[in-house]
Amino acid sequence: MGFGRLLTAMVTAFDANQKLDLARQTKVIEHLIQTGTESLVVAGTTGESPTLSKEEKIELFKHSVAVAKGRVKVIAGTGSNNTAESVVLTKQAEEAGVDGIMLVNPYYNRPSQEGLFQHVKTIAESTSLPIMLYNIPGRSAVNMTAETVSRLATIPNIKMMKEASGDLGQITEIIRNTPDDFIVYSGDDNLTLPILSIGGHGIVSVSSHVIGSEMKEMITLFLEGKVDEASHLHQTLYPKCKALFSAPSPVPVKRVLSHIGIETGPVRLPMVSLTEEEEKNVLQAFL
C-alpha cells in the first residue's frame, strides 16, 4: 500500500493551556480518516512544528500511529535546519512506528544546492523509511531545484515530494526528470488539479481538514477522465481553500474546525487568533 492521493498536513490539538491534548488529537485523526484522508503528516508546518518540543513531536508520532492502527499511513515531519538533530529525530520517529518521513528544506541558513543534497542524503541514509522531500521556498527561503530533486531521487528510499513552490514549470521538470515511481504531491491546495494535470499524484492538504470528501471526489473525477466535472468542483472549492490561507496557517483552519464542532484549541505564539474581521471573512466561505 502506498501513501494515497489525499494526505493531510495535520493540525496539532492543544488544550486551553496550550499543552498537547491527545484526546482532541484522536478526534481530529478519526475525522480525517472518515473524510477521505489516506495518510497523516504529523508535526509539519500545519502542526505548528516550530513551537513543538522534540518530546512533544515524538509523543505525537506515537499517538498518531496508535490511533491510526494501520487504517492510514503516518508520515513524521522530522526535517529542520540542523542535519544532526534531524537524524536523531528521524531515528526516534522510526522507533515510534511511523511509515515515512518528511524533510522540509533547511530554513534560515539558506544552504547551497549541494548543501541541500548532502543534508537530505545524510538523513535518508540514517533510516530505512521512505522519505518525502518538502520544497516550500516561501517559508524556507531556499528553493530545491529540479536538478537537485533529480539527484536525490536516485537515493533508494527517497520516494516522493511535496512541492509547494507554486512553479508549474519547475514541477513539470521534476516529474519529467525523476523515475516513474517517484511521486510528486502538490503542496498548495489550490493547485491540486493543475498539478494532477501535469502528472502529479495528489495533494498534501490543509483544506482537507474541512473539505476532505470534496477534495477526494475532485481527484477521483480527474482520474476517471471526468475533467470538466473535476474542474467545476475545483472552481467551487477554490474560495474555501483561499479563505483557509487568508491569515497565517494553521490559524484559519483551526477556527473552521471549531466552527464545525472539532475543537483543536488555540495556536501557540508567535501565531495569534484571527481578528473579528478575519474570522468573519473566513467563516463566510463556509456558510
Side-chain angles (χ1 to χ4, degrees):
M1 172 188 171
F3 289 89
R5 303 272 183 177
L6 180 64
L7 290 66
T8 296
M10 187 170 63
V11 299
T12 298
F14 301 122
D15 64 19
N17 298 315
Q18 300 193 355
K19 302 296 184 183
L20 286 187
D21 190 323
L22 297 182
R24 285 177 171 177
Q25 198 70 50
T26 297
K27 291 179 181 178
V28 173
I29 294 170
E30 293 295 346
H31 164 73
L32 292 175
I33 293 172
Q34 290 166 16
T35 52
T37 289
E38 296 166 88
S39 290
L40 306 169
V41 177
V42 183
T45 309
T46 312
E48 300 180 66
S49 59
T51 62
L52 294 173
S53 69
K54 292 174 180 62
E55 292 75 20
E56 287 174 324
K57 290 178 182 180
I58 295 164
E59 191 173 1
L60 281 168
F61 299 155
K62 290 178 178 177
H63 183 74
S64 299
V65 169
V67 175
K69 295 177 182 174
R71 293 174 293 167
V72 294
K73 295 293 184 72
V74 175
I75 299 172
T78 62
S80 72
N81 60 354
N82 183 320
T83 308
E85 285 190 2
S86 293
V87 166
V88 172
L89 187 58
T90 296
K91 290 178 177 178
Q92 291 171 320
E94 184 165 10
E95 290 170 3
V98 304
D99 303 290
I101 298 297
M102 185 178 74
L103 301 178
V104 68
N105 290 353
Y107 37 86
Y108 188 73
N109 30 17
R110 301 183 68 178
S112 66
Q113 293 301 306
E114 182 62 25
L116 278 174
F117 176 81
Q118 295 296 340
H119 169 81
V120 175
K121 177 174 179 285
T122 299
I123 301 168
E125 288 175 346
S126 75
T127 181
S128 62
L129 292 175
I131 301 285
M132 173 186 282
L133 308 174
Y134 181 16
N135 187 41
I136 183 162
R139 286 185 182 268
S140 66
V142 62
N143 176 55
M144 183 177 286
T145 66
E147 181 181 9
T148 299
V149 177
S150 181
R151 289 179 68 198
L152 286 167
T154 64
I155 297 171
N157 61 331
I158 297 181
K159 299 291 190 182
M160 50 194 163
M161 180 173 200
K162 177 183 178 183
E163 228 293 351
S165 68
D167 184 341
L168 290 176
Q170 175 168 293
I171 297 167
T172 298
E173 288 291 333
I174 289 169
I175 294 169
R176 180 169 171 260
N177 293 310
T178 51
D180 290 343
D181 61 354
F182 183 84
I183 293 171
V184 177
Y185 291 99
S186 173
D188 293 298
D189 281 301
N190 62 355
L191 291 182
T192 304
L193 189 60
I195 287 177
L196 285 172
S197 76
I198 61 171
H201 190 75
I203 172 74
V204 180
S205 176
V206 175
S207 303
S208 54
H209 282 93
V210 289
I211 52 172
S213 298
E214 296 91 330
M215 295 191 74
K216 189 74 170 286
E217 181 184 0
M218 181 181 71
I219 294 169
T220 300
L221 286 169
F222 177 82
L223 295 174
E224 291 176 347
K226 300 174 182 176
V227 178
D228 287 345
E229 292 177 51
S231 178
H232 177 74
L233 188 49
H234 166 75
Q235 303 293 338
T236 302
L237 297 178
Y238 178 77
K240 296 182 179 182
C241 292
K242 187 176 180 182
L244 290 171
F245 290 93
S246 59
S249 187
V251 181
V253 73
K254 278 194 158 186
R255 180 62 188 88
V256 178
L257 278 168
S258 176
H259 178 70
I260 64 173
I262 299 167
E263 188 54 62
T264 60
V267 288
R268 284 177 170 174
L269 285 170
M271 296 295 177
V272 293
S273 300
L274 299 174
T275 65
E276 285 187 20
E277 185 67 21
E278 288 171 336
E279 183 174 307
K280 177 183 174 183
N281 292 334
V282 168
L283 294 181
Q284 186 69 33
F286 292 88
L287 295 178

